[in-house]
């Protein structure tokens, strides 16, 4: 009971203590494994989340709640096929579980199974024609297929059918802010005027800002971008320096080269780590490389950070991170990363595997030591372009430094200094965004040559690839 109360209060550290005590007495206590799995999911610690949820599944293989949470965990980790398996299991046990149908639609979208995603979405919309979540999903599907007009119409329906749904209007501006008409724009202003919740208010500011930006009113647009950013920054100001402080700590920790992994854990694929500041072009590089059937799209994975956190005993501070320089830690990173990828993506047949979490850059010395065979690509871009793009983007989570111009500039400068230090002892290819977009033939060939992939003209037609993009670069 104490664990449940702590969980509902969001006091996860206490919750873990209570439920781990329960498991000490009753290793098969299903509620403890479920709650610890949910905390792992909330903290994006997918190995821990999946361990507890899979244990719960082994205890109660026909528990729909367990399969629902397993599906959500795999969905969050972008392992869409595994997610779909569990949502289908829920529907086998509870055919009327609309939440499972909703999540299954998202899983099919992630796998580019547009027909199946549409069937699921339509099943929900048949009962609730104004379901904003499914209308937004259909908008994203149409956008992924290149039908911007159809995508915007779905997004408009989602927004106007639920006038207080700020995210619906913001989604519409992401699809095509230039199509926002006066009815929608007035609805945004009404939504902002009547909004009492700060987080929702920031969404309205970003939606209005994007509309004004598209209407070539940059001064007014910037005022709303700033107001939206200020709201977020004021709510999370204590987190604004977290990334920069971690960079400084790791730079000090990784001053000397680390020992190479020697535990003989063979990888069935060669990892390609794509690192850089957010909004620097990492999605573009991954889109180019995954044009090849020899490259599996791993997406943005938080595995390296999660594993490092686990090795350091759950905290990253001066007293704990020194352990990461040891041979044992380097070996553990390789072993745990390989097993985690196998759990998330059990059916990889490709020769290469991409992990494009931008801030894997912080762990570059550890990655280089644990994966000597890895291909590491650093995406770089004009500093003003990066910083303005970050400041104008309302991220789903993280990047807390980007909502204040001072912390954004400080974090960028620290990041550049960190990369200068790390690249002295690592084999890293720099992919300059401006070079790729201005002379793609030359620089895409260089990029492909660095990875060891066989050249094909298809790499120049990356924009035609049928692949779902899930980052802020989707549009």
């Amino acid at each position: 009971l104490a664990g449940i109360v702590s969980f509902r209060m969001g006091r996860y550290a206490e919750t873990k203590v209570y439920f781990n005590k329960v498991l000490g007495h009753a290793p098969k206590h299903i509620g403890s494994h479920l709650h610890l799995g949910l905390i792992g999911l909330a903290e994006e610690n997918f190995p821990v989340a999946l361990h507890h949820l899979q244990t719960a599944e082994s205890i109660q293989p026909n528990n729909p709640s367990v399969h629902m949470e397993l599906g959500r965990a795999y969905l969050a980790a972008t392992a869409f096929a595994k997610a779909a398996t569990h949502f289908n299991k829920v529907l086998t046990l509870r055919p009327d579980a609309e939440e499972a149908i909703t999540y299954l639609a998202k899983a099919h979208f992630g796998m580019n199974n547009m027909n199946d995603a549409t069937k699921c979405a339509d099943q929900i919309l048949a009962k609730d024609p104004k379901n904003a979540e499914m209308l937004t999903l259909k908008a994203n599907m149409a956008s992924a297929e290149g039908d911007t007009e159809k995508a915007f119409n779905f997004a408009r329906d989602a927004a106007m059918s639920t006038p207080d749904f700020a995210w619906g209007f913001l989604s519409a501006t992401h699809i095509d802010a230039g199509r926002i008409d006066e009815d929608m724009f007035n609805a945004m202003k009404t939504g902002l005027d009547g909004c009492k919740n700060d987080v929702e208010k920031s969404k309205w500011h970003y939606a209005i800002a994007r509309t004004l930006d598209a209407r070539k009113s940059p001064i007014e647009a910037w005022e709303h971008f700033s107001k939206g950013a200020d709201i977020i920054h004021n709510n999370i100001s204590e987190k604004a320096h977290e990334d920069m402080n971690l960079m400084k700590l790791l730079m000090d920790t990784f001053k000397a080269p680390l020992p190479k992994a020697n535990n003989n854990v063979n990888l069935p694929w060669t990892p390609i780590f794509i690192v850089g500041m957010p909004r620097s072009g990492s999605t573009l590089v991954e889109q180019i490389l995954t044009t090849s059937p020899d490259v599996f799209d791993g997406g943005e994975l938080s595995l390296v950070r999660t594993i490092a956190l686990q090795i350091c005993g759950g905290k990253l501070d001066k007293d704990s991170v020194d352990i990461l320089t040891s041979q044992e830690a380097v070996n553990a990173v390789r072993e745990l990363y390989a097993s985690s990828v196998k759990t998330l993506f059990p059916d990889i047949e490709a020769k290469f595997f991409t992990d494009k979490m931008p801030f894997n850059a912080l762990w570059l010395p550890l990655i280089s030591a644990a994966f000597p065979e890895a291909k590491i690509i650093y995406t770089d871009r004009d500093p003003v372009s990066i910083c303005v793009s970050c400041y104008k983007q309302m991220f789903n989570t993280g990047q807390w430094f980007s909502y204040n111009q001072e912390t954004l500039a400080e974090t960028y400068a620290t990041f550049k200094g960190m990369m200068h230090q790390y690249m002295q002892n690592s084999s890293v290819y720099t992919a300059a965004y401006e070079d790729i977009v201005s002379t793609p033939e030359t620089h895409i060939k260089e990029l492909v040559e660095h990875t060891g992939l066989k050249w094909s003209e298809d790499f120049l037609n990356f924009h035609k690839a049928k692949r779902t993009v899930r980052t802020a670069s989707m549009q």
Side-chain angles (χ1 to χ4, degrees):
L1 285 174
I4 291 171
V5 172
S6 298
F7 180 80
R8 291 181 178 176
M9 294 175 69
R11 289 153 63 167
Y12 291 159
E14 288 181 21
T15 308
K16 293 176 189 177
V17 172
Y18 287 125
F19 283 123
N20 278 315
K21 283 184 178 180
V22 174
L23 292 177
H25 296 289
K28 293 186 177 182
H29 189 267
I30 192 80
S32 297
H33 285 296
L34 267 174
H35 281 87
L36 290 171
L38 290 174
I39 292 172
L41 180 55
E43 295 176 342
E44 293 191 351
N45 189 336
F46 298 122
V48 168
L50 291 172
H51 164 72
H52 285 290
L53 294 174
Q54 287 169 346
T55 302
E57 181 189 18
S58 68
I59 298 167
Q60 293 186 3
N62 291 317
N63 184 325
S65 296
V66 172
H67 286 289
M68 180 68 81
E69 300 308 335
L70 265 170
R72 289 180 60 236
Y74 280 117
L75 190 66
T78 70
F80 299 112
K82 293 283 286 185
T85 298
H86 289 285
F87 294 134
N88 279 318
K89 183 70 173 179
V90 174
L91 293 170
T92 299
L93 298 166
R94 288 178 47 204
D96 60 340
E98 291 188 8
E99 186 181 19
I101 300 172
T102 298
Y103 282 125
L104 184 58
K106 296 177 181 179
H108 281 305
F109 175 48
M111 292 186 288
N112 290 315
N113 294 340
M114 300 302 186
N115 289 336
D116 290 332
T118 299
K119 288 177 183 176
C120 291
D122 287 345
Q123 193 173 341
I124 298 295
L125 291 168
K127 295 182 178 181
D128 179 11
K130 294 185 177 182
N131 186 295
E133 194 173 11
M134 288 296 95
L135 287 170
T136 301
L137 180 68
K138 293 194 76 168
N140 288 335
M141 286 192 288
S143 180
E145 293 180 323
D147 193 338
T148 305
E149 184 173 358
K150 183 178 178 181
F152 183 81
N153 288 337
F154 277 124
R156 189 184 194 283
D157 289 345
M160 297 301 282
S161 66
T162 316
D164 60 346
F165 183 49
W167 192 259
F169 286 89
L170 185 56
S171 294
T173 65
H174 277 287
I175 290 170
D176 192 347
R179 290 175 182 254
I180 300 294
D181 57 28
E182 287 308 307
D183 287 344
M184 292 185 75
F185 192 58
N186 289 332
M188 290 181 195
K189 292 189 286 187
T190 300
L192 175 61
D193 292 339
C195 187
K196 305 299 182 184
N197 180 282
D198 274 355
V199 175
E200 289 299 301
K201 191 175 290 187
S202 65
K203 295 175 185 175
W204 288 118
H205 278 300
Y206 276 93
I208 292 170
R210 293 182 64 85
T211 303
L212 290 168
D213 214 16
R215 294 182 176 187
K216 308 299 182 186
S217 299
I219 304 298
E220 293 177 83
W222 192 260
E223 289 176 2
H224 283 281
F225 279 126
S226 298
K227 288 177 180 178
D230 285 345
I231 290 171
I232 298 174
H233 177 72
N234 291 335
N235 277 277
I236 52 84
S237 56
E238 73 283 355
K239 296 182 179 181
H241 290 91
E242 279 184 355
D243 289 309
M244 182 173 66
N245 291 338
L246 181 57
M247 289 177 198
K248 292 178 178 178
L249 175 64
L250 295 178
M251 286 168 67
D252 189 55
T253 303
F254 296 141
K255 280 182 176 178
L258 273 59
K260 300 296 182 183
N262 64 1
N263 54 354
N264 297 321
V265 174
N266 293 320
L267 303 180
W269 28 259
T270 299
I272 300 176
F273 290 95
I274 305 169
V275 305
M277 277 287 289
R279 315 298 296 134
S280 63
S282 59
T283 298
L284 172 63
V285 168
E286 186 183 45
Q287 176 79 2
I288 291 168
L289 295 179
T290 52
T291 301
S292 168
D294 287 333
V295 182
F296 183 89
D297 166 12
E300 294 189 348
L301 301 175
S302 57
L303 293 178
V304 176
R305 187 184 192 281
T306 298
I307 291 167
L309 188 63
Q310 181 179 336
I311 293 171
C312 292
K315 57 183 179 180
L316 298 171
D317 57 27
K318 192 170 182 61
D319 295 328
S320 62
V321 296
D322 281 347
I323 193 175
L324 296 175
T325 62
S326 68
Q327 182 74 68
E328 293 77 11
V330 172
N331 288 346
V333 169
R334 183 178 180 88
E335 182 176 350
L336 292 170
Y337 187 91
S339 63
S340 296
V341 171
K342 186 176 181 180
T343 298
L344 291 172
F345 309 103
D347 302 319
I348 298 176
E349 296 180 357
K351 298 176 182 177
F352 294 87
F353 175 87
T354 61
D355 182 342
K356 69 157 293 281
M357 177 60 75
F359 271 7
N360 274 340
L362 277 66
W363 309 97
L364 206 54
L366 192 58
I367 289 171
S368 297
F371 309 100
E373 73 274 52
K375 308 297 182 181
I376 301 174
I377 300 166
Y378 166 43
T379 57
D380 199 11
R381 187 182 181 189
D382 172 76
V384 174
S385 296
I386 288 177
C387 291
V388 170
S389 188
C390 282
Y391 190 69
K392 291 167 66 173
Q393 179 65 40
M394 186 177 185
F395 294 95
N396 287 334
T397 186
Q399 276 65 261
W400 305 121
F401 60 85
S402 67
Y403 299 101
N404 175 272
Q405 292 184 49
E406 288 186 13
T407 59
L408 174 56
E410 290 168 356
T411 302
Y412 176 84
T414 303
F415 180 89
K416 292 294 285 188
M418 178 189 72
M419 289 304 298
H420 177 74
Q421 174 184 318
Y422 285 175
M423 291 173 72
Q424 307 303 312
N425 297 309
S426 300
S427 178
V428 179
Y429 175 84
T430 300
Y433 178 85
E434 288 80 11
D435 288 343
I436 291 175
V437 298
S438 62
T439 52
E441 294 85 355
T442 299
H443 290 95
I444 289 177
K445 283 183 178 179
E446 284 185 7
L447 173 66
V448 171
E449 183 179 330
H450 169 75
T451 60
L453 287 162
K454 184 179 179 181
W455 173 253
S456 166
E457 292 293 322
D458 290 341
F459 285 114
L460 299 176
N461 295 313
F462 60 87
H463 55 288
K464 296 179 181 179
K466 295 296 182 182
R467 170 179 172 267
T468 304
V469 174
R470 297 174 293 276
T471 70
S473 303
M474 183 174 71
Q475 300 304 332

